[in-house]
Amino acid sequence: TYFALKGWRRDFLDDIRLPAKSSGRRPTLIAGRVAYFGKAIALGILGVLTLVAAFLPTGPAGLGGQLAALALSPAGPLLLALVGLGLIAHGFYTAARARLARL
């Protein structure tokens, strides 16, 4: 929930320095918000998989096995797509942050 709140409240703006007038300002804001929501979703799904593995030791071993089992479930492909898109969005935001970091 920390990452979702950071995206919702735009607290990530504390980490970057956006120019007052720039063509990249709005896309960076959108990318930051989507990135933190995506990261929250990805970590939430991975956290649930870890808890399932802890309480059901007879299930697939390791994170790879858990993701493979998730892919075979009815909602699995959608959940895996959300994890992937969230991590991709966070990659784009991280690239923008590297350029606009507040040092």
Side-chain angles (χ1 to χ4, degrees), residues 15-102:
D15 302 333
I16 59 176
R17 183 179 47 238
L18 289 177
K21 292 184 178 183
S22 171
S23 62
R25 182 177 174 82
R26 183 166 168 79
T28 303
L29 288 172
I30 292 170
R33 205 168 227 187
V34 170
Y36 277 97
F37 283 136
K39 188 175 182 178
I41 290 169
L43 291 177
I45 291 171
L46 295 176
V48 168
L49 289 176
T50 302
L51 287 174
V52 167
F55 290 107
L56 298 175
T58 58
L63 186 58
Q66 290 291 328
L67 290 173
L70 178 64
L72 298 175
S73 71
L78 175 65
L79 293 175
L80 289 176
L82 287 175
V83 169
L85 291 174
L87 294 176
I88 289 169
H90 201 270
F92 282 122
Y93 169 72
T94 303
R97 183 176 175 212
R99 185 170 180 265
L100 302 170
R102 186 181 304 254

Side-chain angles (χ1 to χ4, degrees), residues 5-14 29 33:
L5 287 175
K6 189 169 183 171
W8 180 259
R9 295 179 184 163
R10 295 184 183 180
D11 290 342
F12 60 89
L13 292 176
D14 296 339
L29 288 172
R33 205 168 227 187

